[in-house]
Amino acid sequence: MSKKSVTITNNETGESVELPLLDGSQGPSAVDIEKLYRDMGILTFDPGFVSTASCRSDITFINGEDGILQYRGYPIEQLAEQSHFLETAYLLMYGDLPNEGQLSNFTRIISHHTMLNESLKNFYNGFHYDAHPMAVMVGVVGSLSAFYHDSLDIRDPEHREISAHRMIAKMPTIAAASYKHNIGEPFIYPRNDLSYCGNFLNMMFSTPCEPYEVDPMMEKALNLLFILHMDHEQNASSSTVRLAGSSQANPFACIAAGIASLWGPAHGGANEAVLNMLEGMGNVDNVDQYIARAKDKDDPFRLMGFGHRVYKRYDPRARIIRKMCHDMLERVSPDNEQGPLFELALRLEEIALNDEYFIERQLYPNVDFYSGIIYRAMGIPNNMFTVMFAIARTVGWVSHWMEMMDDPQQRIGRPRQLYRGAVKRDYQSIVER
Ligand code: SDX
């Protein structure tokens, strides 16, 4: 049977070229256009990459029409319900769920890379106390390559693996330290006797002055939130990490680039923007004016936490977090200050989902719409929400980076453009202008 293909014909010149049609294991097929420029001298044009597959990947599958998300084939709902951070991190990095021995070894390795070089404390002191924690994360993560000259040969699989382990292990320590710097409290060292999430909570909330017990409910909630945020195929920040890595930059520089991209309010920065929006909204009486602004083409305001490039149904992660919000707020004191915020979010969602503008554009709540409410209920401030996203997404970033660097056909990513600038013209002396 002949290979599947599509034919592109230039109706102006009558030229045609047959291009291979590639099938994945799930999801849409892709036209391999590599020969197009060579054979027809034309480019494809797809700003925002709406219809462009940038790579082959085995890591995460999303079906936006049916609201499906799978990590290495496992439905996100099952992992969220039954797995925990390090087990799912192993799955994303290595492709299969670990057995007991593999999980125990992975846990030991990650635990033993959680500390930072002591001289990094001086780096933190260079930031003003009220520096946004994401600015600190970009700077500190980017600086890590200054400490590990012994393992930065990215052509060496062992160096790549230890760099990935170091990134996963150190992100919570770097994040908690950026929070402590923000509030002027001493940094808390990691503890290897605690779980990944328990250790993070301890570094965030314990102080040298009194004992701190990790709340099992918060630890469980954090495990679930981190699993939901771990990966999402070729989103903007993961694509940034891949593009940075394609030039063979060191892994810490690539992850720092990913953090910078995630920070944008159109991407991971939306969770902080949602809480700022809800707090600005105040109460449900103001919902209509915000909805009107979101629909007004002349107003740059968008309903934060709504819409998604791929999901044209309810984001499966938002559904899980919404239920978690409900369960958690039911359990904590009914007059918990997050209660009114959650009620407002539910009301905003209900109004938006019945509004023609949102229905027509298939705009549903995404992963960022409810996550901030839970983080706030945990005592995590708004400016740390995207940092939480970055801790979890580091697993996806390093997994994509390793997958790309393991590919023998890996080459530098270098898109072209549709040039619309000035055509050739001669230089004129200033008196002639
Ligand atoms: C994340 O890619 C990923 O997988 C990301 C992520 C991950 O896990 O990595 O899922 C995490 O980033 C979730 C998204 C968080 N961002 C926000 O919540 C910010 C608000 N949402 C929008 O900015 C927007 O929906 C995007 C950025 C998420 C998606 O933008 P697209 O796909 O480019 O859609 P678009 O801008 O072309 O919008 C299509 C239409 C436009 O109207 P028309 O020009 O057709 O009339 O929908 C409108 C937009 O104006 N629209 C919105 C809207 N989102 C889209 N209008 C009001 N409020 C919104 N939130």
Side-chain angles (χ1 to χ4, degrees):
M1 187 175 79
S2 69
K3 283 192 172 186
K4 290 171 70 174
S5 65
V6 296
T7 301
I8 290 187
T9 301
N10 182 334
N11 293 325
E12 193 180 352
T13 63
E15 277 181 292
S16 288
V17 65
E18 190 176 359
L19 299 169
L21 186 61
L22 309 176
D23 285 336
S25 55
Q26 294 188 83
S29 300
V31 182
D32 180 347
I33 57 169
E34 189 173 8
K35 293 187 310 185
L36 184 63
Y37 182 64
R38 188 195 66 192
D39 294 357
M40 285 186 88
I42 58 175
L43 302 170
T44 59
F45 181 65
D46 184 16
F49 311 117
V50 177
S51 302
T52 294
S54 60
C55 63
R56 292 184 177 85
S57 182
D58 304 345
I59 299 172
T60 292
F61 174 70
I62 302 174
N63 175 320
E65 291 65 36
D66 301 330
I68 291 171
L69 169 59
Q70 296 166 356
Y71 290 165
R72 301 284 189 178
Y74 292 97
I76 193 66
E77 294 79 5
Q78 293 181 24
L79 292 168
E81 181 65 34
Q82 302 173 59
S83 187
H84 60 80
F85 182 90
L86 284 179
E87 183 182 71
T88 303
Y90 185 99
L91 170 66
L92 282 172
M93 276 188 70
Y94 296 106
D96 291 304
L97 287 169
N99 60 35
E100 279 190 41
Q102 290 163 331
L103 181 59
S104 152
N105 184 48
F106 185 64
T107 303
R108 180 185 54 76
I109 291 170
I110 296 298
S111 299
H112 284 81
H113 282 297
T114 49
M115 282 215 291
L116 301 179
N117 187 301
E118 278 293 297
S119 60
L120 264 174
K121 281 186 177 174
N122 307 326
F123 194 175
Y124 277 87
N125 291 332
F127 289 97
H128 202 257
Y129 80 92
D130 61 356
H132 193 291
M134 282 298 278
V136 177
M137 295 294 286
V138 173
V140 172
V141 170
S143 76
L144 288 180
S145 55
F147 295 88
Y148 300 111
H149 303 294
D150 64 324
S151 51
L152 280 180
D153 176 0
I154 54 164
R155 283 174 300 282
D156 180 338
E158 284 184 16
H159 284 196
R160 294 203 293 269
E161 188 177 33
I162 190 171
S163 296
H165 290 158
R166 280 175 167 146
M167 260 332 324
I168 292 173
K170 295 181 193 303
M171 281 297 268
T173 313
I174 294 168
S178 66
Y179 171 66
K180 289 297 197 185
H181 181 70
N182 223 210
I183 61 174
E185 285 187 7
F187 294 0
I188 300 297
Y189 285 102
R191 277 180 43 189
N192 296 345
D193 62 318
L194 297 175
S195 73
Y196 189 88
C197 292
N199 177 44
F200 174 69
L201 290 168
N202 184 60
M203 291 189 289
M204 281 285 287
F205 298 121
S206 76
T207 67
C209 321
E210 56 192 31
Y212 171 81
E213 278 297 309
V214 174
D215 175 344
M217 188 173 83
M218 278 179 53
E219 190 175 8
K220 184 172 186 297
L222 202 50
N223 257 303
L224 193 149
L225 287 165
F226 278 172
I227 286 172
L228 295 177
H229 285 83
M230 257 185 203
D231 192 49
H232 215 235
E233 62 140 80
Q234 304 310 319
N235 59 86
S237 53
S238 298
S239 298
T240 301
V241 170
R242 279 181 175 260
L243 195 56
S246 74
S247 73
Q248 305 193 9
N250 76 71
F252 305 107
C254 297
I255 301 302
I259 295 171
S261 170
L262 185 75
W263 194 2
H267 189 16
N271 54 16
E272 177 179 357
V274 167
L275 254 290
N276 294 338
M277 175 183 75
L278 291 175
E279 286 168 338
M281 207 175 274
N283 63 63
V284 73
D285 299 339
N286 300 323
V287 165
D288 290 340
Q289 76 182 55
Y290 278 78
I291 296 270
R293 284 190 57 198
K295 292 154 66 170
D296 178 356
K297 285 288 159 249
D298 298 327
D299 188 330
F301 172 77
R302 286 197 163 175
L303 210 56
M304 301 318 282
F306 261 77
H308 198 278
R309 170 61 57 74
V310 178
Y311 288 125
K312 300 309 169 191
R313 301 275 302 274
Y314 215 99
D315 182 332
R317 301 166 297 175
R319 191 186 308 283
I320 295 169
I321 296 176
R322 182 182 193 267
K323 181 179 181 310
M324 194 171 129
C325 255
H326 188 270
D327 297 349
M328 173 180 261
L329 293 173
E330 257 203 341
R331 259 204 298 278
V332 300
S333 54
D335 60 350
N336 178 293
E337 64 160 356
Q338 308 314 320
L341 275 178
F342 183 51
E343 289 310 315
L344 180 56
L346 287 171
R347 190 81 186 90
L348 176 59
E349 175 193 335
E350 183 191 349
I351 294 171
L353 293 187
N354 288 291
D355 182 293
E356 196 43 47
Y357 173 92
F358 291 86
I359 295 170
E360 197 179 295
R361 291 166 180 80
Q362 299 175 294
L363 303 177
Y364 291 86
N366 58 50
V367 67
D368 293 308
F369 189 62
Y370 287 105
S371 54
I373 295 171
I374 295 184
Y375 287 139
R376 275 287 289 278
M378 290 179 170
I380 293 168
N382 293 17
N383 68 2
M384 282 291 290
F385 292 174
T386 311
V387 172
M388 303 298 283
F389 199 146
I391 294 171
R393 188 52 58 89
T394 295
V395 177
W397 291 331
V398 298
S399 300
H400 282 283
W401 176 74
M402 287 177 76
E403 181 178 67
M404 179 183 71
M405 298 309 289
D406 285 343
D407 179 354
Q409 294 174 329
Q410 187 273 323
R411 54 199 301 209
I412 192 165
R414 204 277 185 214
R416 299 299 308 278
Q417 62 178 12
L418 180 67
Y419 177 71
R420 299 193 312 174
V423 294
K424 183 179 176 299
R425 53 185 171 166
D426 296 326
Y427 182 83
Q428 296 162 310
S429 68
I430 194 161
V431 293
E432 291 172 309
R433 289 174 209 158

